[in-house]
Amino acid sequence: MSSISVAICGAGLSGLCLAHSLLRAGFNVQVYERDLAPHIRRQGYRITIDEYGIAALQRSLPPHLFKLFLATTSPIEEASYFRVTNKDLGEIFRLTFKGDPSGINLRTPRQIDRQTLRTIMLEGLQDRVHFGKEALRAETESDGATLHFSDGSYIHASLVVGADGVNSVLRKQFLPDYEPDDIDNWGIYGRTLLVQDEGLLVPRALKASGVFAMGPSNRGFFFTTMRFQEAPQTAFARFEVNQIPPITDDYVMWGLVLPKEQFPEYQEKLSSEMLQRVAQENIQNFHPILQRLVKRADVDYTMAVKFRAARKPTTWSVSRITFMGDAVHVMPPTGSHGGNTALRDAALLAEKLEAAMIQSESLEKAIGSYQEEMSKYAFREVEASKTMMKRFTVKNPLMRWAMLRAVPWIRSITNKPLTTE
């Protein structure tokens, strides 16, 4: 398989996952990333890895890196919750998830810091990930594709994989009619240390919960904790990896959701300080706990995010260039399926390519099979995440009154308040 060269455009989660899987199978794989360094740009915080994401990582990573991934996830509780509340943390409804504290059941979802996972996945690929390589275009040929970069260089590979995110230049070139749509809501993300002044910044009752607080004017505020089962610096040393953990302290991830018409003009040019001020201004009428999370945030970690949703290609020709992750099926964060679907893509594409080589089949057959299968599950997740976002930002006045006032009042009669210790 070493005669088959694969060029991956993008060193995000899916790109690195695919690189590990193909490298272990004997392919000649190289990764090209436009960023100048691994942690030069904020790319999100805590993410949920579900059974598909876990299976993809287990299949793709060397065993010691998969164990390191498990060691740096959050502790699994007997039960965890996702709560939807009004702005005063009055509960509207609650989803309960049974956990496996032993961690043995790998179908049980778990939380991890995105930057930490990416750092783990960079281990072993130091000589194969090339930073500062911004792709401009690609050209397909009978025996592969040529990838051109902004510095004037180019490479030829048997297969080029576009894993370069929502703004993929390769998707714009090869799927120009399927640019993702802006949806009605955008967000501001932030990070706040969980322990401050020798105490937890959120009540213990919410330590194992994700909370989405619905506010006035279709605003919403989400938060959840990222607690490390084992301190990353300890785990990295124990597994003798060469990477340095980018995050060492437990924290609260939060996000403010705003209708895009309420978002500041020129939001992409706003500094972290300005974004944090915007967030503070928009949650002045929310519960003090939520205001405190924004006020005490690590300002440098505040960033703006446009929520977008992919459109499914009705025709997708098979060539020596294919796509995975946000480059082809970006989705809103509701449901936590974006990252998992991208990891699932990587495992599936690796599986198809390996099978094709073993069975002496063409790369085109493997790519066509991958695109057909991936499209079915990926765009199902896109639609599900769009539907959930609409439910969280319902505009019907009567429905919002019932959800934000009547239901929390009824539930408060029998339920213990969320804000108690």
Side-chain angles (χ1 to χ4, degrees), residues 21 51 60 69 85 91 135 144 148-149 165 175 177 220 229 236 262 273 283 291 317 345-347 364 374 394 399 408:
S21 192
E51 61 179 289
S60 305
F69 152 69
T85 74
E91 193 171 279
H148 295 263
F149 301 101
L175 293 171
D177 297 328
Q229 188 171 196
F236 276 51
Q262 295 181 23
E273 292 82 1
I283 63 164
Q291 296 184 48
S317 60
D345 294 349
E364 284 80 3
M374 178 270 284
V394 60
M399 182 67 73

Side-chain angles (χ1 to χ4, degrees), residues 338-413:
N340 290 289
T341 308
L343 292 172
R344 188 177 179 180
D345 294 349
L348 176 64
L349 180 55
E351 178 186 312
K352 298 294 185 182
L353 293 174
E354 290 176 42
M357 294 302 97
I358 292 171
Q359 298 165 18
S360 299
E361 296 176 340
S362 69
L363 285 179
E364 284 80 3
K365 183 175 181 180
I367 295 164
S369 178
Y370 158 74
Q371 290 179 176
E372 181 180 2
E373 190 171 330
M374 178 270 284
S375 294
K376 292 178 181 177
Y377 65 73
F379 287 95
R380 185 167 60 241
E381 297 295 357
V382 171
E383 292 305 314
S385 63
K386 287 167 59 179
T387 298
M388 189 176 295
M389 176 64 79
K390 289 178 180 178
R391 289 175 179 170
F392 286 164
T393 56
V394 60
K395 296 181 179 180
N396 181 285
L398 181 59
M399 182 67 73
R400 286 189 67 84
W401 177 85
M403 292 181 69
L404 301 182
R405 301 288 297 275
V407 174
W409 177 78
I410 293 170
R411 291 182 66 84
S412 69
I413 297 173

